[in-house]
Amino acid sequence: MTPPDGRRRPLPRLLHFLRTYPRRSPLTLCFVVLLAVGHFWLQDHLSPERADDLRAYVSTNLDNLPDHPVRAMIGSALLYDGTLTDVTDPGFGGTLITLGLGVCGCLAWVERRWGSLRALGVFLGGHVLATLLTAVVILFALHQEWYPEDVRAASDYGISYGAQTVLAVAVLAVPRWARLPWAAFVVAWPLSGDSEWPGPLPDFTTVGHLLAAALGFALAAATARARARTAARTDAAAEATETAATR
């Protein structure tokens, strides 16, 4: 039963979200299935050597981006780096956040609100732009000797930059009182690992996640401003119509 204020309680809202998931978030559902199939194919059907070769080929590092940028970008976005079956694995928490909360939850919300094509644009835009910006940071850090030279061939693949972008955009989905804690969570979780900083900057994957979050927050802020301008114009038009009607 819907309360008098017209708002569903959290549990009915969640059940409604899940019940309407295939119809209202078909792109996200297909993407999640594709990620799951690709992950288990990589883990269970390829030899460890071939799986490692594939991961190396789709890594968006400085060696691969000049050589095959499109294939690296696309291939990287079709794999997730981590596990959802081994809770003792250090990567379990990150995968739960990026795949579970980021893609399954926040990307689905973006698709419901903005449509499939725009949701795809947000995810891929965050994935590609954060990757390219991170590459610029790596080049600068190498010039300053803050990163070791072997970072050029480092493993760097997966959905996490795109997922981090939609996590940041989803600040629009939470109540106003929760937006600051949500933003703090989005920024803090990439910094919560135990990896050591090689210099003044954190490791490049942390930098990439922070850049992806910045892109998502910028898009959310631009969207909120556009909504405010539209609402102001609507109110002004309604007021003008009401004033003209009373004359």
Side-chain angles (χ1 to χ4, degrees):
M1 181 176 179
T2 303
D5 61 4
R7 297 179 180 177
R8 290 188 178 94
R9 299 306 181 198
L11 182 57
R13 287 179 64 187
L14 177 60
L15 293 176
H16 176 75
F17 179 85
L18 295 175
R19 188 171 61 253
T20 59
Y21 199 102
R23 176 173 57 85
R24 299 189 62 186
S25 305
L27 176 70
T28 303
L29 181 60
C30 291
F31 185 40
V32 171
V33 171
L34 184 62
L35 288 171
V37 170
H39 181 76
F40 288 111
W41 172 70
L42 197 68
Q43 294 290 107
D44 299 336
H45 293 281
L46 288 185
S47 66
E49 294 78 14
R50 291 189 65 186
D52 288 343
D53 288 343
L54 179 60
R55 294 187 187 99
Y57 185 77
V58 301
S59 287
T60 52
N61 51 44
L62 295 185
D63 284 351
N64 286 346
L65 285 177
D67 183 65
H68 50 277
V70 175
R71 282 171 289 177
M73 287 284 188
I74 294 175
S76 176
L78 296 177
L79 299 174
Y80 69 86
D81 181 16
T83 178
L84 283 174
T85 57
D86 184 4
V87 297
T88 64
D89 190 279
F92 175 80
T95 306
L96 192 63
I97 292 172
T98 55
L99 179 60
L101 185 57
V103 173
C104 296
C106 296
L107 182 60
W109 176 84
V110 173
E111 185 177 4
R112 285 169 178 250
R113 295 299 296 269
W114 297 350
S116 297
L117 288 179
R118 290 182 180 178
L120 180 64
V122 171
F123 181 87
L124 288 181
H127 173 71
V128 172
L129 289 176
T131 297
L132 295 178
L133 290 172
T134 302
V136 173
V137 173
I138 292 173
L139 287 171
F140 176 77
L142 285 171
H143 180 72
Q144 300 295 322
E145 298 183 349
W146 295 342
Y147 285 167
E149 280 294 325
D150 60 5
V151 76
R152 292 180 177 275
S155 178
D156 184 23
Y157 67 91
I159 60 170
S160 58
Y161 291 171
Q164 182 77 343
T165 300
V166 294
L167 279 166
V169 170
V171 71
L172 297 172
V174 301
R176 289 185 179 274
W177 62 265
R179 288 182 178 178
L180 185 58
W182 180 267
F185 160 73
V186 173
V187 172
W189 85 261
L191 294 166
S192 62
D194 56 1
S195 58
E196 296 182 359
W197 289 29
L201 295 177
D203 63 278
F204 71 91
T205 55
T206 301
V207 170
H209 285 96
L210 296 178
L211 290 170
L215 292 169
F217 288 135
L219 179 57
T223 302
R225 286 195 296 269
R227 286 180 183 175
R229 288 195 296 268
T230 301
R233 286 195 296 267
T234 302
D235 291 344
E239 184 178 351
T241 302
E242 184 179 350
T243 301
T246 58
R247 290 179 179 176

